[in-house]
Amino acid sequence: MNLDHVFVCGSPALDFAATLRARRSLRFEMFVAPDRLDAWFLESGIVDAISPAEQADVEGAKELREAVYELVTARRLEEEFPAGALASVNAAARKPAAAPQLTPAGRWTEATPQEALSTIARQTVELLSGPDVPLLKECGNPQCTRIYVDRSRGVRRQWCGMDSCGNKIKAAAYRARKKSGQAAASH
């Protein structure tokens, strides 16, 4: 059940915030229905099983996602946290989170959508109060608004991911160089 969710940000909280793509232009919404939210929780690895979400869970997820994005953006830009976003994340973090269980086969986490959202909120708290804050960057693709943790050697990563953005930008730059080279040669 792969629904084109991408996990390139280095943190489930950041990948969650990236489920509204191209915020400055097209605004592509990943959570269009409850089953898409369920799929994201499963594909992200936050849970192994999820009770089916309802439309109210989708609306709650979108609200939390926007709060996470606002807080991450504020921290990245070294600005004050917006009070409403801070209240939303903290309220979700106070609720019961998804609890992993040990089974004969290993770790297993079964949760409700609310427990999964609490887990995301808690991960956001840990991220924004932890050592990775200086590594937060926004993708260099002008169309992309993903924020990621740059753990690359030298902290020089420019894109959220090579497959999702880096290759597109490099290919476009190559085509532009080739086109300008051909134009110069014809003059």
Side-chain angles (χ1 to χ4, degrees):
M1 179 198 229
N2 188 331
L3 298 171
D4 300 323
H5 295 125
V6 178
F7 302 92
V8 295
C9 298
S11 161
L14 296 176
D15 288 318
F16 184 74
T19 59
L20 178 61
R21 299 204 184 137
R23 290 170 180 269
R24 290 187 284 272
S25 55
L26 304 172
R27 296 185 64 86
F28 182 74
E29 175 63 65
M30 297 300 295
F31 297 152
V32 293
D35 66 323
R36 296 294 299 265
L37 178 61
D38 294 342
W40 189 90
F41 286 137
L42 293 169
E43 291 174 32
S44 72
I46 291 194
V47 298
D48 300 299
I50 189 95
S51 56
E54 297 179 6
Q55 191 58 39
D57 298 316
V58 173
E59 299 311 315
K62 289 178 182 179
E63 179 183 325
L64 179 63
R65 177 193 60 208
E66 294 311 299
V68 170
Y69 184 79
E70 287 179 39
L71 294 177
V72 168
T73 299
R75 180 60 84 216
R76 186 178 63 78
L77 299 175
E78 299 179 358
E79 297 174 351
E80 297 242 347
F81 285 140
L86 196 60
S88 291
V89 168
N90 284 334
R94 281 192 293 272
K95 294 179 180 170
Q101 302 292 300
L102 187 60
T103 70
R107 179 185 166 276
W108 181 260
T109 305
E110 191 169 337
T112 65
Q114 297 82 12
E115 291 167 336
L117 289 173
S118 178
T119 300
I120 293 288
R122 291 174 186 211
Q123 290 175 350
T124 302
V125 170
E126 293 302 317
L127 174 68
L128 295 180
S129 63
D132 287 340
V133 168
L135 305 177
L136 294 175
K137 288 186 175 178
E138 186 176 58
C139 182
N141 177 351
Q143 302 304 312
C144 183
T145 53
R146 284 189 189 109
I147 298 172
Y148 61 93
V149 178
D150 183 0
R151 292 189 182 99
S152 66
R153 181 177 296 167
V155 192
R156 291 194 212 162
R157 187 169 146 196
Q158 297 177 359
W159 302 287
C160 61
M162 282 306 291
D163 289 343
S164 50
C165 287
N167 288 337
K168 292 175 191 170
I169 298 295
K170 286 184 171 193
Y174 172 78
R175 286 190 300 273
R177 283 192 310 272
K178 191 171 181 180
K179 185 176 180 180
S180 69
Q182 288 172 346
S186 67
H187 289 290

